[in-house]
Amino acid sequence: MKLINFEFLKLRKKSRGWLGPILVFILIMTAFPLTVEILNKNLEQAFFSILWIATLLVMMLATEDIFLEDYNDGSLEQMAIKYDSLSGLVATKIFVYWVLIGIPISLIGALYGFGITRSSESALQILPILLITTYIFLNVFSFGNALSLTKGSILGTLITMPLVLPLLVVLGKVVIAINLGISFLGFLFLLLGILSIIILILPMIISFVIKAHLE
Amino acid sequence: MFNFAFDSIGEAFMMQSANGQYHGIYVWSVVFIVLTSLLVTFFIYKRKIRNIGKKIK
Amino acid sequence: MIKKFIHQFASPKTYLFQVDRAYPYIFYASLFVYIGSLFWGLFLTSEDFVQGNSYRIIYLHVPASFISQSLYLAMAFASAIFLIWKVKLSAYLVKSIAPIGAVTTFIALVSGSIWGIPTWGTWWAWDARIISTLILFIMYLGLISLHDSFTDYEKADKFLAILVIVGSVNIPIIKMSVEWWSTLHQTASITVTEKPAIDASMLYPLFGSIIGFSGIVFCLVILSSKLQILLREKNKSWVKDYV
Amino acid sequence: MKKILAADNLCYSINETKLFQGLSFDLFEGKAIHVLGGNGSGKTSLLKIISGLSKPTRGSITKSNKKNVCFVGHKNALKQYLTVEDNLSLLEVDKHNDINAFLKKLELSKLLDVMVASLSYGQQKKLALLRLFLNDSDLLVLDEPCVGLDRKSQDILCSFLREQKEEKKALIFSSHISLDVDSEYINLDKAIS
């Protein structure tokens, strides 16, 4: 429990860490209508794809120094010694990042959804989808970040992009389901299933990778 | 077993299909690309092994 | 007990000598089979009713895309062995297969898109199978760049093995994407389950080219693993008298 | 005399270059070991192996209590953008009863709400050493503890280490500056047989 407070303290005080990605998300979402002219017919259609890509990009930015900063100032070493398995620590870190970055972004995304598609029930529908997808993206990208800890984050994203693309296929299907108006609960549970697997497995792999880095 | 699909070398090169299209260009370009990339990879590895061999001696 | 057996059997030294002995035979045999079946496929089989002669690219495209995926599975298998039993040789194998996989996937991509021009009218179609092959190509490049960015070989091998295993989740998704998205791409002409979708006379050269192509790729893997072993063990004594 | 640590036939090599080989030693409570060796002779790697961060290429290390290790490395593991007080709570030493005594002794008590980034390197090092002063583990592993410390702080450190030795704590450290703490010596330069 105190681990969560520590991580909250660390991230909350570093406004660049959590505020930055959210502002970038807002920027992308407001810039998107500018690129498409006013006629709203295809604005709605393009909105969802822009939303997924924006979430993807912002999650990439958010996890840039999730482990790097602790690695550089040595606190990762101390944690590795104090806690036997790092996966608990990694899971808490990702959870804190999700709370401070993932949730605001999903809310803002739903708000934009409401703004553009002007149908509150579609905005409410994509909110849970966004919440789950941001968490999955966070896990996968922090895995990429952990792999390329000292080598700069471009390598990290290059490695994890292929792993995330199948997820975009699922999101594409969700968009089709929403546009046709049919219930997309099936996809919601599919995403939940993916999330539950990832939450269990990835922190363990990440802690193994970090321990290898610290050697 | 040897019933040639084409009756001359020239035609084998052009590979004209029933619908009149000349598919030879596509087929032969693919053959060319595949064989050259295989050869280039072989050559690169042979040369690298030779260099590392010299370096070890 | 297994660990001792694996370490004793899979030591780079014995591997290198055995491979050297077997290499020429495998190379010439597979070269002969490949060229033979290509010749058979390109010239002797009759024209396809629908696609005309452009279907002959199947003898180049299908082996490449089949090998590129099985190379990835071979890497996943070797990295599992490396992570579980710390067998050095399997780490070398994983590192040496990656560039070869990239080459074969490149061949599959190029031949697939060129084949697309006459049949689908465009050289690039947003279709699940092509995109998954492109993803595979990017993953191979990612693997190579990950390994090259570390000076310490031990760490590089460990991370490479982990990324390969995590990445192998994507392979079944490639398979699934064909049915689930069911767009342009023709369903696989050879599936282990149902009867092949193409005529028998075209099928035998296809088998021949697959076997021949995998033989040649296998020789490439042997060459690249020789390079890896020499690179990694260069200050060992036996390497000096081997070279 | 409880044996805190036993190492036999330790070898460690990176990329086929051997750092040290066949190293065996025991560490009892109340004893100290001073690790000597030139730059790049593997001092830090040995200390990392002892603290459990990395595993030796060959040989083994047995510790009486695996988790009870206090490791002080080159990096002082402080958050630059947080205040001293926050860092203390991160180091989980803020509720320790004699925290104020040590803060006064190291002249840090006045800087509690100052950002760590604005402290000098020496002050940051002293703050990091608080993790050592207020710990309750019975194996202390120090990697160059005196780097960046002024004369006065070094004396505080040495007297503290002597105290810890009386309290039956095991000590292993590497340092270019000679600490007047009587200890056995391990020279890594000679260990590459």
Side-chain angles (χ1 to χ4, degrees):
Chain A
M1 203 23 221
K2 66 179 165 44
L3 207 57
I4 295 182
N5 300 344
F6 286 157
E7 293 303 331
F8 260 119
L9 174 71
K10 273 198 260 183
L11 190 57
R12 192 160 33 83
K13 285 287 176 65
K14 193 174 64 160
S15 60
R16 174 177 60 79
W18 61 277
L19 197 58
I22 294 176
L23 292 182
V24 166
F25 183 74
I26 295 174
L27 264 176
I28 296 177
M29 292 313 288
T30 35
F32 142 69
L34 303 181
T35 55
V36 182
E37 357 65 292
I38 303 302
L39 47 95
N40 281 340
K41 187 178 50 54
N42 52 25
L43 202 61
E44 197 173 307
Q45 177 52 19
F47 165 74
F48 282 110
S49 48
I50 296 291
L51 181 66
W52 304 139
I53 300 299
T55 333
L56 189 84
L57 272 176
V58 165
M59 284 305 135
M60 239 189 266
L61 286 175
T63 56
E64 207 194 333
D65 59 357
I66 190 171
F67 299 118
L68 191 59
E69 196 219 326
D70 283 349
Y71 178 81
N72 286 341
D73 64 24
S75 37
L76 213 51
E77 272 167 4
Q78 297 296 340
M79 290 178 202
I81 293 170
K82 196 184 297 178
Y83 302 106
D84 212 359
S85 90
L86 277 176
S87 48
L89 170 78
V90 167
T92 0
K93 234 173 161 25
I94 295 176
F95 172 70
V96 164
Y97 266 70
W98 179 61
V99 166
L100 274 177
I101 299 173
I103 293 184
I105 279 185
S106 321
L107 292 174
I108 295 169
L111 210 64
Y112 272 99
F114 176 67
I116 289 181
T117 52
R118 267 190 310 289
S119 65
S120 67
E121 52 69 54
S122 91
L124 281 179
Q125 278 169 352
I126 56 169
L127 183 58
I129 302 277
L130 269 171
L131 286 171
I132 298 170
T133 340
T134 42
Y135 208 167
I136 296 177
F137 282 152
L138 261 177
N139 272 315
V140 174
F141 283 121
S142 54
F143 168 67
N145 180 283
L147 259 180
S148 63
L149 204 55
T150 49
K151 304 295 170 206
S153 71
I154 305 116
L155 184 67
T157 38
L158 168 71
I159 293 165
T160 29
M161 271 310 269
L163 303 182
V164 165
L165 291 184
L167 189 71
L168 286 180
V169 172
V170 174
L171 291 177
K173 295 284 170 187
V174 168
V175 171
I176 297 168
I178 290 180
N179 289 346
L180 296 180
I182 53 179
S183 109
F184 59 99
L185 274 181
F187 293 111
L188 194 64
F189 292 133
L190 175 66
L191 284 172
L192 266 179
I194 297 174
L195 178 64
S196 50
I197 298 170
I198 282 184
I199 277 185
L200 280 176
I201 293 175
L202 267 183
M204 276 184 260
I205 301 178
I206 293 176
S207 78
F208 182 79
V209 166
I210 287 178
K211 281 218 175 84
H213 263 297
L214 291 173
E215 242 168 39
Chain B
M1 211 273 277
F2 283 101
N3 49 5
F4 268 95
F6 309 101
D7 30 36
S8 78
I9 300 299
E11 203 186 301
F13 183 72
M14 297 307 290
M15 281 199 188
Q16 191 180 20
S17 313
N19 52 24
Q21 267 183 328
Y22 290 97
H23 287 159
I25 176 67
Y26 307 117
V27 177
W28 289 113
S29 55
V30 168
V31 167
F32 173 71
I33 290 171
V34 168
L35 293 185
T36 35
S37 40
L38 284 177
L39 276 173
V40 163
T41 331
F42 262 102
F43 180 69
I44 289 175
Y45 276 114
K46 284 276 183 199
R47 200 156 47 84
K48 272 193 179 160
I49 289 181
R50 206 163 6 92
N51 295 350
I52 192 98
K54 270 206 280 312
K55 209 149 68 80
I56 291 177
K57 257 207 211 39
Chain C
M1 208 289 291
I2 307 165
K3 192 159 186 332
K4 194 175 67 55
F5 166 74
I6 286 187
H7 272 289
Q8 181 268 338
F9 161 72
S11 83
K13 190 164 180 296
T14 46
Y15 168 82
L16 204 54
F17 284 111
Q18 273 149 11
V19 146
D20 263 355
R21 247 201 351 263
Y23 179 77
Y25 303 111
I26 303 176
F27 179 70
Y28 292 113
S30 50
L31 197 64
F32 172 71
V33 167
Y34 188 56
I35 302 294
S37 49
L38 265 192
F39 182 81
W40 182 1
L42 290 184
F43 298 117
L44 303 185
T45 51
S46 59
E47 209 179 300
D48 178 65
F49 177 70
V50 172
Q51 290 182 4
N53 284 318
S54 67
Y55 92 95
R56 297 182 194 284
I57 298 182
I58 195 174
Y59 299 115
L60 297 148
H61 173 65
V62 167
S65 74
F66 171 72
I67 298 295
S68 63
Q69 282 164 20
S70 34
L71 274 182
Y72 199 97
L73 291 188
M75 275 206 297
F77 188 65
S79 28
I81 293 179
F82 171 65
L83 284 177
I84 298 169
W85 286 302
K86 290 286 179 294
V87 175
K88 270 266 170 282
L89 180 65
S90 53
Y92 300 161
L93 276 181
V94 174
K95 169 67 181 112
S96 48
I97 290 178
I100 316 276
V103 167
T104 36
T105 329
F106 171 74
I107 292 177
L109 264 179
V110 165
S111 54
S113 48
I114 291 181
W115 190 1
I117 299 174
T119 40
W120 300 330
T122 77
W123 64 276
W124 178 260
W126 287 107
D127 154 74
R129 182 65 84 82
I130 293 183
I131 291 179
S132 312
T133 324
L134 185 64
I135 297 175
L136 196 59
F137 185 59
I138 297 170
M139 284 171 78
Y140 274 118
L141 295 184
L143 291 176
I144 298 169
S145 56
L146 174 72
H147 194 277
D148 289 351
S149 62
F150 287 100
T151 50
D152 173 0
Y153 283 133
E154 252 157 56
K155 271 194 205 165
D157 291 343
K158 216 174 263 189
F159 295 145
L160 186 65
I162 291 170
L163 186 57
V164 163
I165 290 188
V166 171
S168 58
V169 166
N170 198 22
I171 299 295
I173 291 175
I174 289 179
K175 290 279 173 298
M176 193 179 68
S177 62
V178 175
E179 294 84 28
W180 192 24
W181 219 353
S182 68
T183 47
L184 281 174
H185 205 285
Q186 63 190 37
T187 48
S189 20
I190 320 168
T191 44
V192 181
T193 48
E194 321 96 17
K195 206 180 81 46
I198 61 175
D199 171 67
S201 76
M202 303 175 191
L203 196 55
Y204 300 136
L206 190 54
F207 278 142
S209 62
I210 288 181
I211 295 165
F213 189 76
S214 46
I216 290 178
V217 165
F218 185 63
C219 297
L220 271 177
V221 167
I222 290 176
L223 268 184
S224 136
S225 59
K226 240 165 82 166
L227 174 69
Q228 267 310 307
I229 292 175
L230 293 182
L231 212 62
R232 297 279 187 87
E233 316 265 340
K234 55 178 178 291
N235 40 31
K236 289 268 179 62
S237 59
W238 59 269
V239 174
K240 297 225 171 8
D241 50 53
Y242 163 76
V243 169
Chain D
M1 193 72 128
K2 192 155 75 68
K3 182 193 288 186
I4 301 286
L5 181 83
D8 59 347
N9 189 9
L10 274 186
C11 333
Y12 190 71
S13 64
I14 298 179
N15 271 2
E16 313 303 332
T17 56
K18 285 194 175 46
L19 292 181
F20 51 81
Q21 210 176 15
L23 199 61
S24 303
F25 58 88
D26 295 335
L27 182 55
F28 294 93
E29 57 186 16
K31 283 279 179 291
I33 293 182
H34 188 150
V35 179
L36 298 171
N39 291 343
S41 64
K43 292 199 296 294
T44 311
S45 313
L46 175 62
L47 294 178
K48 270 190 175 179
I49 290 172
I50 290 171
S51 60
L53 265 179
S54 49
K55 287 181 279 303
T57 326
R58 262 196 311 280
S60 68
I61 279 233
T62 46
K63 284 199 276 252
S64 64
N65 173 337
K66 186 160 180 339
K67 262 296 115 227
N68 219 329
V69 177
C70 173
F71 175 78
V72 175
H74 295 299
K75 307 179 199 159
N76 47 28
L78 297 173
K79 290 290 166 202
Q80 299 293 331
Y81 57 91
L82 289 179
T83 64
V84 171
E85 214 168 339
D86 290 340
N87 272 296
L88 288 181
S89 59
L90 274 182
L91 296 174
E92 291 168 271
V93 290
D94 49 353
K95 300 212 180 29
H96 210 278
N97 33 38
D98 48 14
I99 173 79
N100 300 324
F102 272 104
L103 281 178
K104 220 177 267 65
K105 210 193 285 184
L106 294 168
E107 301 117 17
L108 292 173
S109 42
K110 295 184 293 303
L111 312 162
L112 278 186
D113 46 15
V114 164
M115 297 280 272
V116 168
S118 53
L119 293 180
S120 74
Y121 178 74
Q123 285 167 323
Q124 287 185 17
K125 190 73 184 177
K126 282 193 278 187
L127 189 59
L129 281 179
L130 270 179
R131 165 187 306 110
L132 171 71
F133 295 150
L134 300 164
N135 81 81
D136 50 7
S137 46
D138 47 15
L139 172 61
L140 307 180
V141 183
L142 313 173
D143 193 356
E144 302 289 347
C146 291
V147 162
L149 287 182
D150 50 24
R151 196 82 203 94
K152 189 165 159 320
S153 324
Q154 276 176 22
D155 301 341
I156 297 173
L157 177 67
C158 296
S159 63
F160 170 77
L161 292 181
R162 277 191 295 277
E163 258 168 54
Q164 293 296 310
K165 271 186 67 179
E166 271 82 38
E167 286 166 21
K168 294 281 174 285
K169 297 267 177 81
L171 210 58
I172 182 162
F173 56 88
S174 77
S175 169
H176 288 300
I177 310 155
S178 76
L179 293 163
D180 48 9
V181 172
D182 51 3
S183 50
E184 296 133 24
Y185 288 90
I186 296 179
N187 194 329
L188 286 185
D189 294 337
K190 286 199 286 300
I192 306 172
S193 52

